[in-house]
Amino acid sequence: MPLPITSLYAAILALMLIALTYYVILGRARSGISILHGEDMALATRIRQHGNFIEFVPMALIVMALAELNGANSTALNIAGILLVVARIAQPFGMHPEIATKPLRIIGGAGTHLAILISVVLILIARFAG
């Protein structure tokens, strides 16, 4: 069964992953550090921006796909997808090595969690209400 909604957001997020990956690669090239980050906090920040994306986006896409496969409302799925993309754009700009409460980081984290929760609720609605 095709997943047109999830596929759209997966493609957008895949492009974002490539951008974050090359951002880390450029940081490594500039610093000359191949493994870990040494004492380079700018490189450490880039690595965590990429890592945070990798930690959350796969699960978000999995639950979106499961919701879509279970016949979830397409408007609600698109809301979750848009929210996820916006949150994942905001998150890296809010990450700072010394300030954990930058607004864009909070927006990015909360938006990502909300997108996942929306998809989970859509799965539960589809499974138990139908």
Side-chain angles (χ1 to χ4, degrees):
M1 173 182 274
L3 299 168
I5 297 170
T6 304
S7 296
L8 170 65
Y9 296 105
I12 293 166
L13 291 159
L15 293 173
M16 291 170 64
L17 174 61
I18 291 169
L20 283 170
T21 300
Y22 278 94
Y23 188 57
V24 173
I25 290 169
L26 290 172
R28 289 194 181 286
R30 287 188 186 127
S31 69
I33 299 170
S34 175
I35 303 293
L36 301 174
H37 60 79
E39 297 298 320
D40 187 333
M41 290 312 293
L43 178 58
T45 301
R46 288 178 185 216
I47 292 167
R48 281 309 311 140
Q49 289 166 332
H50 178 267
N52 187 276
F53 188 96
I54 292 296
E55 292 163 359
F56 284 98
V57 170
M59 181 55 69
L61 289 172
I62 288 168
V63 292
M64 277 187 70
L66 291 172
E68 189 168 5
L69 285 170
N70 280 285
N73 178 282
S74 61
T75 300
L77 269 175
N78 277 297
I79 289 169
I82 291 167
L83 181 59
L84 181 61
V85 168
V86 169
R88 298 322 305 170
I89 290 169
Q91 181 79 16
F93 291 107
M95 294 186 82
H96 187 278
E98 297 162 5
I99 304 169
T101 57
K102 289 190 81 158
L104 288 176
R105 185 175 191 173
I106 294 167
I107 290 167
T112 299
H113 294 152
L114 183 56
I116 292 170
L117 286 171
I118 289 169
S119 296
V120 168
V121 168
L122 291 171
I123 291 169
L124 294 173
I125 289 170
R127 296 311 314 153
F128 296 110

